[in-house]
Amino acid sequence: MKMKKILASFMAASAALLLAACSTNDSKSAVNGDKWDTYVSEKSITIGFDNTFVPMGFENDKGENTGFDIDLANAVFAKYDIDVKWQPISWELKESELDSGNIDLIWNGYTMTEDRAKKVLFTDPYMLNEQVLVTKSDSGISSVSDMEGKILGAQAGSSGYDAFLDRPEILKDIVKDNDATLYDTFTQGFLDLENGRIDALLVDKVYANYFLTQKGELEKHHLISAGLESGDFGVGARKADKTLVEKINAAFTELYKEGKYQEISEKWFGEDTATDAVKE
């Protein structure tokens, strides 16, 4: 009798492990497969973004998600009758959030780099990006060479910081401690810049221009080309989501032909920021 109980317990445990394994495999399959039909049937897709990255995607004073990427993504998926759920994420963990299935896309001033292309499937580039050093106008810093022995700030996980590490001879080798003070958001970096805790902030030009203009402090700062390679902005999907990427690319072109892309771009930047890939 005792042996039967042990055997029954063993079989129950084995069954539980088998079910758990099947569940895990099903979960991985759901995440790793082409999910376009799921997005269409559920009429929903989740996009991860840094909700402090003005003017691309951020939370305004009313608690609303707004910005260029917000408007553009909503316009793209409106064409397919799919609602966008905006999920704030830690930018440093963006690829992990995508791989785990917590989000379906990374879309928020996401610079296209070779390293990131190994992890995600990119759409066509839709907007040009550039890395700059932001300093106070009275700092005495007007070029990269002036940063020797100075304290640099950067956002953890940003394309600017990645480029800073990849090309140490340009900036890393001359700044204090041969590294940057890292922040979760650029907003935190700007706060330290204003309070004199860092001498310069490495940041996307589009962010710096908008942030300082909105504060009425653009003229109080220098925006210096960092001399680091700049990549275009693109949308990152899981490698298997090929149909999703094709649909986004098609929508980019349609929106441009309709004039909707230009309308959104004029709203946020006062000019047409589309890349050639969008215009074709």
Side-chain angles (χ1 to χ4, degrees), residues 8-24:
S9 297
F10 175 77
M11 292 178 66
S14 298
L17 287 172
L18 181 61
L19 286 172
C22 290
S23 176
T24 299

mmCIF file of all heavy atoms in Angstrom, residues 8-24:
data_model
loop_
_atom_site.group_PDB
_atom_site.id
_atom_site.type_symbol
_atom_site.label_atom_id
_atom_site.label_comp_id
_atom_site.label_asym_id
_atom_site.label_seq_id
_atom_site.Cartn_x
_atom_site.Cartn_y
_atom_site.Cartn_z
ATOM 1 N N ALA A 8 2.086 6.682 -6.841
ATOM 2 C CA ALA A 8 1.063 7.668 -7.225
ATOM 3 C C ALA A 8 1.610 9.085 -7.095
ATOM 4 O O ALA A 8 1.371 9.956 -7.953
ATOM 5 C CB ALA A 8 -0.179 7.494 -6.355
ATOM 6 N N SER A 9 2.356 9.331 -6.020
ATOM 7 C CA SER A 9 2.943 10.658 -5.800
ATOM 8 C C SER A 9 3.958 10.981 -6.886
ATOM 9 O O SER A 9 4.029 12.098 -7.406
ATOM 10 C CB SER A 9 3.621 10.722 -4.426
ATOM 11 O OG SER A 9 2.672 10.537 -3.401
ATOM 12 N N PHE A 10 4.768 9.951 -7.246
ATOM 13 C CA PHE A 10 5.778 10.143 -8.280
ATOM 14 C C PHE A 10 5.128 10.479 -9.621
ATOM 15 O O PHE A 10 5.559 11.373 -10.347
ATOM 16 C CB PHE A 10 6.619 8.878 -8.409
ATOM 17 C CG PHE A 10 7.617 8.938 -9.532
ATOM 18 C CD1 PHE A 10 8.788 9.663 -9.412
ATOM 19 C CD2 PHE A 10 7.368 8.264 -10.726
ATOM 20 C CE1 PHE A 10 9.703 9.719 -10.456
ATOM 21 C CE2 PHE A 10 8.272 8.314 -11.767
ATOM 22 C CZ PHE A 10 9.447 9.046 -11.632
ATOM 23 N N MET A 11 4.044 9.735 -9.950
ATOM 24 C CA MET A 11 3.353 9.958 -11.221
ATOM 25 C C MET A 11 2.701 11.332 -11.251
ATOM 26 O O MET A 11 2.704 12.030 -12.271
ATOM 27 C CB MET A 11 2.301 8.862 -11.438
ATOM 28 C CG MET A 11 2.901 7.477 -11.678
ATOM 29 S SD MET A 11 1.649 6.187 -11.872
ATOM 30 C CE MET A 11 0.874 6.704 -13.403
ATOM 31 N N ALA A 12 2.164 11.771 -10.114
ATOM 32 C CA ALA A 12 1.531 13.092 -10.039
ATOM 33 C C ALA A 12 2.565 14.190 -10.229
ATOM 34 O O ALA A 12 2.340 15.183 -10.933
ATOM 35 C CB ALA A 12 0.823 13.253 -8.690
ATOM 36 N N ALA A 13 3.731 13.995 -9.579
ATOM 37 C CA ALA A 13 4.802 14.984 -9.698
ATOM 38 C C ALA A 13 5.315 15.054 -11.128
ATOM 39 O O ALA A 13 5.576 16.132 -11.675
ATOM 40 C CB ALA A 13 5.942 14.650 -8.739
ATOM 41 N N SER A 14 5.457 13.892 -11.763
ATOM 42 C CA SER A 14 5.927 13.835 -13.142
ATOM 43 C C SER A 14 4.955 14.540 -14.081
ATOM 44 O O SER A 14 5.340 15.262 -14.998
ATOM 45 C CB SER A 14 6.113 12.378 -13.587
ATOM 46 O OG SER A 14 7.083 11.739 -12.798
ATOM 47 N N ALA A 15 3.669 14.307 -13.838
ATOM 48 C CA ALA A 15 2.638 14.948 -14.668
ATOM 49 C C ALA A 15 2.685 16.454 -14.513
ATOM 50 O O ALA A 15 2.542 17.205 -15.490
ATOM 51 C CB ALA A 15 1.262 14.410 -14.278
ATOM 52 N N ALA A 16 2.891 16.895 -13.277
ATOM 53 C CA ALA A 16 2.956 18.339 -13.020
ATOM 54 C C ALA A 16 4.146 18.960 -13.735
ATOM 55 O O ALA A 16 4.045 20.044 -14.324
ATOM 56 C CB ALA A 16 3.050 18.595 -11.510
ATOM 57 N N LEU A 17 5.292 18.256 -13.682
ATOM 58 C CA LEU A 17 6.487 18.759 -14.357
ATOM 59 C C LEU A 17 6.286 18.800 -15.862
ATOM 60 O O LEU A 17 6.715 19.730 -16.544
ATOM 61 C CB LEU A 17 7.687 17.867 -14.022
ATOM 62 C CG LEU A 17 8.257 18.001 -12.606
ATOM 63 C CD1 LEU A 17 9.318 16.925 -12.354
ATOM 64 C CD2 LEU A 17 8.866 19.391 -12.403
ATOM 65 N N LEU A 18 5.600 17.760 -16.402
ATOM 66 C CA LEU A 18 5.339 17.711 -17.837
ATOM 67 C C LEU A 18 4.434 18.850 -18.268
ATOM 68 O O LEU A 18 4.669 19.510 -19.281
ATOM 69 C CB LEU A 18 4.706 16.366 -18.197
ATOM 70 C CG LEU A 18 4.387 16.143 -19.690
ATOM 71 C CD1 LEU A 18 5.679 16.217 -20.498
ATOM 72 C CD2 LEU A 18 3.697 14.802 -19.897
ATOM 73 N N LEU A 19 3.396 19.116 -17.467
ATOM 74 C CA LEU A 19 2.491 20.224 -17.770
ATOM 75 C C LEU A 19 3.205 21.556 -17.710
ATOM 76 O O LEU A 19 2.980 22.447 -18.537
ATOM 77 C CB LEU A 19 1.306 20.209 -16.782
ATOM 78 C CG LEU A 19 0.261 19.121 -16.996
ATOM 79 C CD1 LEU A 19 -0.732 19.106 -15.836
ATOM 80 C CD2 LEU A 19 -0.475 19.344 -18.322
ATOM 81 N N ALA A 20 4.080 21.707 -16.715
ATOM 82 C CA ALA A 20 4.830 22.956 -16.569
ATOM 83 C C ALA A 20 5.755 23.162 -17.756
ATOM 84 O O ALA A 20 5.880 24.272 -18.289
ATOM 85 C CB ALA A 20 5.647 22.930 -15.273
ATOM 86 N N ALA A 21 6.396 22.073 -18.204
ATOM 87 C CA ALA A 21 7.292 22.160 -19.357
ATOM 88 C C ALA A 21 6.530 22.530 -20.614
ATOM 89 O O ALA A 21 6.964 23.357 -21.410
ATOM 90 C CB ALA A 21 8.014 20.821 -19.550
ATOM 91 N N CYS A 22 5.344 21.889 -20.785
ATOM 92 C CA CYS A 22 4.506 22.205 -21.952
ATOM 93 C C CYS A 22 4.061 23.653 -21.915
ATOM 94 O O CYS A 22 4.038 24.345 -22.930
ATOM 95 C CB CYS A 22 3.289 21.279 -21.992
ATOM 96 S SG CYS A 22 3.707 19.562 -22.387
ATOM 97 N N SER A 23 3.688 24.101 -20.703
ATOM 98 C CA SER A 23 3.246 25.485 -20.546
ATOM 99 C C SER A 23 4.356 26.460 -20.893
ATOM 100 O O SER A 23 4.141 27.463 -21.562
ATOM 101 C CB SER A 23 2.778 25.714 -19.101
ATOM 102 O OG SER A 23 2.424 27.070 -18.906
ATOM 103 N N THR A 24 5.596 26.123 -20.436
ATOM 104 C CA THR A 24 6.742 26.982 -20.725
ATOM 105 C C THR A 24 7.024 27.025 -22.212
ATOM 106 O O THR A 24 7.276 28.083 -22.789
ATOM 107 C CB THR A 24 7.986 26.462 -19.982
ATOM 108 O OG1 THR A 24 7.728 26.486 -18.582
ATOM 109 C CG2 THR A 24 9.200 27.337 -20.282
#
